[in-house]
Amino acid sequence: MSESTPITPDPKPSEALDSVAINPSEQATATSDRSAKTRQLLGMKGASAGETSIWKIRLQLMKPITWIPLIWGVVCGAASSGNYTWTLENVLKVAACMLLAGPLMTGYTQILNDYYDREIDAINEPYRPIPSGAIPLPQVIIQIWVLLIAGIALAFALDVWSGHEFPTITAIAIIGSFIAYIYSAPPLKLKQNGWLGSYALGASYITLPWSTGHALFGELNSTIVILTMFYSLAGLGIAIVNDFKSVEGDRQLGLNSLPVMFGITTAAWICVVTIDVFQGLIAAYLVSIHENLYAAILVLLIIPQITLQDMYFLRDPVKNDVKYQASAQPFLVLGMLVTGLALGHAGV
């Protein structure tokens, strides 16, 4: 046997470790940068500026994070129709309807809002693409028109695909685009009034996509429209949550959001009461049509929302608005689906 070569210990092990170790502060900075860039791309609060890719900037303008409730509303509408079945054609219909409600119509709405809110955003969110100068205004206007025309065209295609005699989905898309315009643009600019603006936003997030999904597979009727408009009063509370991040800019520019009108604490209480009470009344309606199991599930989904309101939102709505939404809204949207399934089961 040959002699083995002895292993000589490193006389300076700490230096060797330092050469491969990651500086904790550098790691934290890198993580923070990645988080800020993700927030930037999704259109969330607390983003960073400096993006140079024009396509990422265009996507940021469309605020993808806001598409989710609208896409979910389509699912709830399909459920409330009572006619959805798992076929390839129906899956493709729902996917096209989600594209309509999310990237196209919500994207149009968000860019339109950013265009008319550029002075407010320069105060509240200067990293947004328009106030930061990352994209010229003429390009913003072109993107608004492209999304609007594409959305209405897809809505009409869905009407044809579904065999509608009256273009119900197209009508909903046109109504939604008009509401988006008067919500953001002068002279009406509904968002200047905390009540009208918040309800318009809540209805846009619940009634419009829900009605679209229902019309895709069933006959849209007045009962569904009225119920979803009533449910939108819970959505009004969710809309108020979004106002806390811009309270300073709203105050400076004279926009009467509810936090400006009533103060932070009172507006926070208005917010949580509307979210909880109107969901509770929807549960009572489900009991009235003998959908007791669905009503009980909905009530169970309201309880964690109340808990999270106490834990986060009511204690500091300005600081914890995003944390509250992330933790509580899954229960609210699950409640919407439970309601949709109940209405479909009852044949409303």
Side-chain angles (χ1 to χ4, degrees):
M1 290 182 64
S2 61
E3 294 182 1
S4 60
T5 304
I7 299 175
T8 305
D10 191 333
K12 298 180 179 179
S14 62
E15 292 181 8
L17 288 172
D18 287 344
S19 67
V20 297
I22 299 175
N23 187 306
S25 63
E26 292 178 356
Q27 186 178 26
T29 300
T31 302
S32 177
D33 289 344
R34 283 195 298 272
S35 175
K37 286 185 177 297
T38 300
R39 288 173 174 272
Q40 179 189 35
L41 196 61
L42 295 176
M44 296 172 66
K45 178 182 175 182
S48 64
E51 181 59 65
T52 56
S53 168
I54 187 61
W55 295 109
K56 288 184 178 180
I57 291 168
R58 292 187 186 282
L59 183 62
Q60 183 189 356
L61 270 173
M62 294 162 66
K63 296 185 181 177
I65 196 69
T66 64
W67 303 347
I68 299 171
L70 283 292
I71 289 172
W72 189 258
V74 170
V75 175
C76 296
S80 70
S81 73
N83 298 321
Y84 181 82
T85 55
W86 288 98
T87 65
L88 177 59
E89 182 181 15
N90 284 349
V91 169
L92 292 175
K93 276 185 179 180
V94 168
C97 198
M98 288 177 174
L99 175 64
L100 169 66
L104 296 181
M105 297 311 297
T106 309
Y108 152 80
T109 300
Q110 294 296 343
I111 301 175
L112 190 71
N113 185 63
D114 270 20
Y115 177 80
Y116 284 106
D117 272 7
R118 55 191 184 273
E119 293 181 0
I120 298 174
D121 286 344
I123 299 169
N124 295 318
E125 300 177 273
Y127 47 80
R128 297 289 305 154
I130 296 176
S132 68
I135 184 170
L137 286 180
Q139 291 193 34
V140 175
I141 295 170
I142 290 171
Q143 190 172 351
I144 289 170
W145 278 106
V146 167
L147 291 174
L148 176 61
I149 293 170
I152 293 175
L154 179 55
F156 183 75
L158 286 170
D159 276 319
V160 173
W161 194 354
S162 299
H164 292 161
E165 293 184 7
F166 177 81
T168 307
I169 297 174
T170 305
I172 294 170
I174 292 172
I175 291 169
S177 63
F178 176 71
I179 291 173
Y181 180 78
I182 63 174
Y183 174 81
S184 298
L188 293 179
K189 202 174 180 71
L190 296 181
K191 66 182 300 179
Q192 291 183 121
N193 182 288
W195 295 109
L196 288 176
S198 295
Y199 183 74
L201 195 59
S204 298
Y205 272 70
I206 295 179
T207 298
L208 294 178
W210 193 315
S211 298
T212 303
H214 190 102
L216 195 62
F217 297 103
E219 189 73 27
L220 184 61
N221 56 68
S222 59
T223 302
I224 292 296
V225 174
I226 292 169
L227 280 174
T228 55
M229 290 181 70
F230 187 80
Y231 215 136
S232 296
L233 290 167
L236 181 149
I238 297 299
I240 296 170
V241 176
N242 295 321
D243 289 335
F244 287 92
K245 73 177 185 297
S246 57
V247 63
E248 188 57 39
D250 290 349
R251 186 179 290 117
Q252 289 184 31
L253 296 177
L255 293 184
N256 289 322
S257 65
L258 293 189
V260 172
M261 291 169 65
F262 295 103
I264 298 295
T265 302
T266 302
W269 275 103
I270 293 172
C271 174
V272 300
V273 167
T274 54
I275 290 171
D276 300 336
V277 166
F278 288 103
Q279 285 183 92
L281 292 174
I282 290 291
Y285 173 78
L286 295 184
V287 172
S288 75
I289 59 173
H290 309 295
E291 295 295 336
N292 298 338
L293 176 59
Y294 290 106
I297 295 171
L298 180 55
V299 170
L300 290 175
L301 289 169
I302 297 171
I303 293 171
Q305 294 178 62
I306 295 172
T307 303
L308 291 163
Q309 288 160 3
D310 178 61
M311 287 174 58
Y312 297 130
F313 190 67
L314 290 174
R315 298 187 184 190
D316 192 338
V318 176
K319 180 181 178 181
N320 295 329
D321 59 340
V322 174
K323 184 183 292 186
Y324 166 70
Q325 286 179 309
S327 57
Q329 280 200 18
F331 297 101
L332 182 138
V333 298
L334 282 174
M336 289 170 55
L337 180 58
V338 167
T339 303
L341 291 168
L343 296 175
H345 184 260
V348 174

